[in-house]
Amino acid sequence: MGLTVDVVNAACTGARDADGIGIMASKTPSVKDKVPARLEVPLEVAEQFVSDLPLGAFYTARETLFRVFAPRATLVEVVLYEEARGDVGRLATVMEDVGSGVWEARIKGDLEGKFYVWRFIGNAGRPDVEVIDIYATNAVDSSRRGRITDFKKTNPAGWRESGKVGPVLKAPTDAVLYELHVRDLTMSETSGVKQKGKYLGWTEPGTNMPGEDAVSTALDHIVELGVTHVQILPVQDYEWDEKKGDYFWGYMTSCFNSPEGIYASDIYDESRVKELKALIAALHERGLGVILDVVYNHTADHASFDAHVPGYYYRLHGDGSKSNGSGVGNDFRSEIPMARKFIVDSLKFWVEEYGVDGFRFDLMSLVDLETMQMAESELLKIRRDLLIYGEPWSAGDSALHGRWTDKGSLEETEGIGAFNDDFRNVIKGPPDGDEVGFIQAGYSRDALIEGLKGTPAWAPKPGQTINYMTCHDNMVLWDKLKASSRNISDEGHVQMAKLGYLILMVSQGIPFLHGGDEFGRTKHGDHNSYRSPDSTNQIDWSLKKKNWGLYNFVRDLIALRKAHPVFRLRTKAEVEGRFALRPHPWYDTVCFTIDGEGLEGETWNQVCVMINGSQHMTGTFQLPVGKWKRASDGMRVASQGRSWEGAVQVPKRTGMIFWR
Ligand code: CA
């Protein structure tokens, strides 16, 4: 059955159209397809050809079932190969049209370790072509073929249905997120890791900087830092030469259901599946959750979607040119039924097969709201505490038919979160350039308070704002501080960073840290290192030793946050009821209290935070009447025996935390 714009004629046909436009396959009565391959299949036409059937290759030792959606093809074959490359054992099997544009074939025997592609024949007038399955779960050789893999054999030791998940969250605000690229964590000589740049490097316990026993690195560092979840830059198979293996961030996905091969020990077999699972298992065993960074808003140029169904999976303008809301050339058409199904199927696969604990959506605005709502609802059926959040913006306009998933639409989701770019800019200025923010110059007190309360107008719940200073995009924190305040010593920059992290950790919402920034990671000013060399991107662990004080401060702030529910309120009403602004010395200072009484798990009756953003002046703050203890003087987190009351002097660019 095929796509049609003209439903007048219900004649059955299996022939090719003479003008090369393409004809429907023959199972169901259909008509001539009048949509040229280069133009967009209209949504109302696409809605007539929808299937709920699982798609892809389904392996058992007795037979493998192959199923693909290709409503514009005249004929489809599944082509098997013995090897990842070359023609050895090539065997083409004609698939059966089972209706709704779906083709199916069952091949007897144990096909484990063989490779497959689809061959589309007469596909809307296109030349016949062999391409990888968009549903391939074990792509090989730079996304050229899919491997038929028995996934049961890919589970690491100790991988149990019940044990493959990360920490169970009572509320999203209990999370502390930490962003890393697979390669950055281990690539440097200073990491002490053996399997540098690979998934398996993350599974090595007990690593430290060579010659520095106290400076733990890689996995041990993450555990020591105390974050709850690691957000990994894209590990879905992306378009890049796996044989060369050059550095790439990975925001060019070609096979969304397969791991990337560059981080695996072999690019032609099932290593990528086994080794990514081993990475996830290693994190889970240490109590850490894993968030996948997913890029469903566009695809790699050479992804095989358009070869499956011409004119279907990408948003096109009327002249056939591709919509470009992502800035990289081809917006994925999430709103069309089988693209929506693809996204939801893919997300569920990663949760069910790999046990991931959440997703970060790249340019989430470009994925239509209905798809995000469906994805959220389906994912929460699997696990209630999955974290789902993304960038609530696009890089440009898009030919989206439907609604964007932007800040304004979050109240129509159960709890999808979004990066709070306003807060990011308030804390330390815009991502690049020399403009300053609060921690450099005390700017924008009112906007800072909105961030501290975690209740910007667009976030229905504090758990829907992701609070951050930096991420992989743009300058890392150290470089930004240097660029925006040039005539200041390293100690001055450390002090600014400390104030920034203190603000982040006492703010309502979900804190997010870019890996390595907690000890002054530098990319030497490179603000877009997506394909820069390892020398730019790798984490230099000697900086952890150099900026030991900063690192210890951040680690201890994280522990303090995790110990005190006052910083992790769950509803707007709770924030409004417990958070109170206090008198403060002047325009670039903030003082507030949060009541802890009656809060489950809270040992403090009240916390009082004083923040002085002044570049020059020590501020005199007033504690509320009574005796207080100090949890942090802004330089370190340390409880002291003495009591405090009345006036407190807070030095410039410093925050203090008191409690009673
Ligand atoms: Ca790849």
Side-chain angles (χ1 to χ4, degrees), residues 159 161 163-167 229-232 235-236 256 259 276-277 279-281 283-284 288-294 296 346-361 379 382-388:
W159 183 269
E161 282 310 306
K164 71 179 184 184
V165 295
H229 290 69
V230 181
Q231 176 192 304
I232 310 176
V235 291
Q236 292 172 323
F256 289 81
L276 178 55
K277 280 187 171 179
L279 179 157
I280 292 169
L283 266 62
H284 284 167
L288 293 161
V290 176
I291 309 283
L292 286 196
D293 187 346
V294 291
Y296 294 101
S346 177
L347 292 164
K348 286 169 70 177
F349 175 74
W350 286 99
V351 175
E352 288 172 338
E353 183 61 41
Y354 286 83
V356 303
D357 304 282
F359 298 98
R360 174 264 186 199
F361 284 78
L379 290 171
I382 304 172
R383 193 171 152 197
R384 284 301 305 175
D385 71 331
L386 280 176
L387 289 172
I388 304 169

Side-chain angles (χ1 to χ4, degrees), residues 180-221:
L180 280 166
H181 185 275
V182 171
R183 193 146 148 164
D184 294 357
L185 183 71
T186 61
M187 207 62 190
S188 163
E189 284 302 320
T190 60
S191 75
V193 169
K194 290 191 189 71
Q195 298 161 94
K196 291 183 172 61
K198 301 296 183 186
Y199 294 126
L200 291 179
W202 287 52
T203 68
E204 295 180 25
T207 59
N208 52 264
M209 187 178 155
E212 298 285 347
D213 290 352
V215 183
S216 68
T217 60
L219 177 61
D220 274 29
H221 170 78

Side-chain angles (χ1 to χ4, degrees), residues 237-238 242 260:
D237 185 23
Y238 57 71
E242 293 179 351
E260 167 54 37

